[in-house]
Amino acid sequence: MIFLRHSFFVLTLLLASLLLSAPARADLIPRTITIDGVFTDWNGTGGTYDPAGDILTNTNQFSTDCQSGTACERDGNLSPSGRDFRRFAFTWDSNNIYFYVLRWQASSNITDWWFYMDTSGDNKMNTGERVMRVNWKGNGDTDVSLYTYTEVNAGGDSLTGTSGLADGYKMPGTISNQTALYSGHGGSGLEMESYVPWTSLGASGPLNMRFHIASSNGVNLPGSVIDNMEGPGANQLFPSDIQVEKTASTGTAAAGTAFSYTVTVRNLGYNTISNIVISDVLPADVVYVSHSASTGSYTDSNANAIPDRWAVGSVAAQSSATLTVNVRAANVTSPVVDTNTATLVSYTGLNQYTTNDSASVNVTINPGPLLSAIKTASSATVNPGQTLRYTVYVSNTGYDVATAVVAIDNPSNFTAFRLDTFGAGQHVRFTQGTPSSTLTLGTVQYSNDGGSTFVYTPVSGAGGAPAGHDGSVTHIRMPMTGSMAGNGGNFWVEYDVIVR
């Protein structure tokens, strides 16, 4: 009888981690802007400026407004038209937030641009929040001030009208307590740029601020307001967003192979989001081994002893948390594509984009090696004293390669093992079959105690055998190095015995 031992830790191609999720919106471009009336740093074309992208056309970082007199202009006809919004954009760095305004025409008009700063992010202007005024003169110089807003409605004034749009809608509250920020050259002609420090808004850095944009012909708000416009990201400067990502350490895994999944939860906004819970149910063709989480706990929610629910907890602004789940590919009879999906289940806070709340990764599970053996003898009938050759043929009919193959055979008790059959010290012969494999026979080991140990050295005449034979050998262990091809890879080993 022949016993075959092989390892399922096969050679597979390790692919780069597969990231199958992406932000629901174009990435916003942060940049330090020089307020000098030159606008090449907004579109990245200036010689010394960052050429990473055009802020003025970057999705969710700019907005446009219809021209006065057209059907889509909700404020109607404006007079003078130099206060007619055409394009707005913003960017930021760790110290300031920067604004860009383009008007339709009448480049010599003096006007006031107003930015209502909803720093709490609740889509309302509350008493005490700030309003920024940029007084833009015909020569391009600007005077920038901050005011304190006073709400009209208890609980705050909505940033949008009953239609849900800011265009054409005037903020109802009033302003007071003017504080001058700076004066300088903010542009000329149709374009203007300005900034406000985060510290002037009571913040140490960027935050998920909402806003409303308006222009006026004076400071008697809201009565002097002439034009209003929608803003990028539905009036959200930095949209609050939880993004779920899913990767795998490999794209293919043979049965028995260990690999891992990684779930990453990112807070793309500037406010902490708490009580985050992720569902992560493992596919049927993998076996859970262990896990590690940077924060929170990964537990079993359906009493099947397999973890499937990650209670992440809180993730701070611009931060992330990760969960790594170590698994082993189960045995399959044919290649199977397993999809593992991680999904945001619940949270406390604001999550404005839901299309990136789930992410999946595919791993193809391949059948492992499947070894079979056939043992034949050179003759069906023999008499005592005759020599018999045994051949053990081993094939891999499985899908994947086999490595660390070990064959163990035990000759009949009625035979004695023949020495030096294939040359001095060569008692066993190994032959590689096709398709091509890289298996080679290692050091053959022998047992004289029924296979309990393999430390015996065959000796001529041992066990009462004739010269050139050993009657004490009970088992032969043949370890292989290299790999054995799948889908038909094969080899055979031969040795002689004498019948007693």
Side-chain angles (χ1 to χ4, degrees):
M1 181 171 66
I2 184 166
F3 299 93
L4 295 174
R5 300 177 183 174
H6 58 274
S7 169
F8 284 114
F9 292 96
V10 299
L11 301 177
T12 56
L13 178 63
L14 294 179
L15 303 179
S17 293
L18 306 176
L19 180 60
L20 297 185
S21 65
R25 51 180 169 78
D27 289 338
L28 303 180
I29 302 170
R31 187 175 296 160
T32 298
I33 299 295
T34 302
I35 305 300
D36 56 4
V38 179
F39 304 99
T40 50
D41 43 355
W42 286 89
N43 56 34
T45 59
T48 60
Y49 297 113
D50 179 5
D54 185 359
I55 294 170
L56 303 183
T57 59
N58 191 46
T59 302
N60 286 319
Q61 206 163 347
F62 79 98
S63 57
T64 58
D65 196 41
C66 294
Q67 188 171 13
S68 174
T70 60
C72 58
E73 174 53 78
R74 295 182 177 86
D75 288 287
N77 292 323
L78 307 182
S79 180
S81 58
R83 298 185 177 95
D84 190 6
F85 281 118
R86 183 171 183 174
R87 181 177 293 262
F88 164 78
F90 78 97
T91 188
W92 77 99
D93 58 24
S94 60
N95 298 315
N96 307 302
I97 182 167
Y98 304 93
F99 298 113
Y100 168 92
V101 171
L102 172 68
R103 57 184 174 184
W104 278 99
Q105 57 185 0
S107 59
S108 62
N109 282 114
I110 299 175
T111 192
D112 289 311
W113 305 120
W114 298 92
F115 305 94
Y116 294 77
M117 310 289 195
D118 170 26
T119 51
S120 68
D122 64 355
N123 203 35
K124 296 180 179 180
M125 284 297 295
N126 303 102
T127 296
E129 290 187 307
R130 310 309 297 273
V131 180
M132 176 183 175
R133 173 200 177 197
V134 182
N135 179 247
W136 185 18
K137 302 174 177 63
N139 62 0
D141 290 340
T142 57
D143 293 320
V144 182
S145 302
L146 283 180
Y147 294 78
T148 301
Y149 185 83
T150 300
E151 66 190 35
V152 170
N153 301 292
D157 301 330
S158 174
L159 290 179
T160 56
T162 55
S163 66
L165 302 172
D167 189 12
Y169 166 73
K170 297 181 180 181
M171 294 300 302
T174 58
I175 58 172
S176 60
N177 302 325
Q178 179 182 9
T179 301
L181 288 182
Y182 70 91
S183 297
H185 187 70
S188 58
L190 302 177
E191 297 175 284
M192 184 276 296
E193 59 186 357
S194 58
Y195 77 96
V196 59
W198 292 113
T199 54
S200 296
L201 300 176
S204 59
L207 72 160
N208 284 356
M209 183 173 64
R210 299 177 74 91
F211 64 98
H212 177 99
I213 310 168
S215 68
S216 76
N217 58 359
V219 295
N220 182 27
L221 302 186
S224 61
V225 170
I226 292 178
D227 195 13
N228 298 268
M229 75 175 297
E230 288 277 71
N235 294 338
Q236 182 79 30
L237 287 184
F238 300 104
S240 183
D241 188 13
I242 303 171
Q243 176 170 289
V244 179
E245 300 171 357
K246 185 80 181 195
T247 64
S249 61
T250 183
T252 60
T257 303
F259 66 98
S260 64
Y261 294 110
T262 298
V263 184
T264 302
V265 177
R266 299 188 189 279
N267 182 352
L268 300 182
Y270 287 95
N271 288 339
T272 296
I273 300 176
S274 58
N275 299 320
I276 298 173
V277 177
I278 302 293
S279 171
D280 183 33
V281 180
L282 293 176
D285 297 310
V286 301
V287 178
Y288 168 80
V289 176
S290 64
H291 72 272
S292 61
S294 64
T295 184
S297 59
Y298 184 50
T299 59
D300 171 23
S301 70
N302 56 10
N304 66 352
I306 303 173
D308 57 20
R309 189 64 57 96
W310 180 24
V312 184
S314 296
V315 177
Q318 298 290 292
S319 299
S320 62
T322 58
L323 166 70
T324 299
V325 183
N326 302 307
V327 298
R328 185 178 68 253
N331 194 29
V332 292
T333 58
S334 61
V336 176
V337 178
D338 270 339
T339 300
N340 185 206
T341 300
T343 303
L344 177 65
V345 174
S346 60
Y347 57 91
T348 300
L350 187 63
N351 178 41
Q352 294 178 262
Y353 296 94
T354 59
T355 57
N356 59 355
D357 288 356
S358 181
S360 300
V361 67
N362 292 333
V363 175
T364 300
I365 307 297
N366 291 324
L370 180 62
L371 304 190
S372 61
I374 299 174
K375 186 175 182 179
T376 63
S378 58
S379 177
T381 58
V382 290
N383 296 316
Q386 288 185 311
T387 297
L388 190 68
R389 175 161 295 182
Y390 285 126
T391 300
V392 180
Y393 177 84
V394 180
S395 63
N396 179 8
T397 59
Y399 182 87
D400 213 350
V401 299
T403 61
V405 176
V406 178
I408 298 178
D409 192 19
N410 58 322
S412 168
N413 294 332
F414 301 101
T415 64
F417 183 66
R418 183 182 179 186
L419 310 182
D420 304 324
T421 301
F422 305 101
Q426 299 181 31
H427 315 321
V428 176
R429 181 167 64 187
F430 168 86
T431 303
Q432 180 68 264
T434 57
S436 178
S437 298
T438 62
L439 282 181
T440 58
L441 180 64
T443 301
V444 180
Q445 301 164 329
Y446 302 91
S447 174
N448 65 344
D449 56 8
S452 297
T453 62
F454 285 90
V455 295
Y456 178 71
T457 301
V459 177
S460 176
H469 299 80
D470 188 324
S472 297
V473 174
T474 61
H475 289 74
I476 306 167
R477 185 177 188 272
M478 296 164 280
M480 315 290 170
T481 60
S483 62
M484 184 179 184
N487 297 313
N490 62 89
F491 68 88
W492 59 92
V493 291
E494 303 167 275
Y495 64 91
D496 285 358
V497 296
I498 190 172
V499 178
R500 294 199 277 186

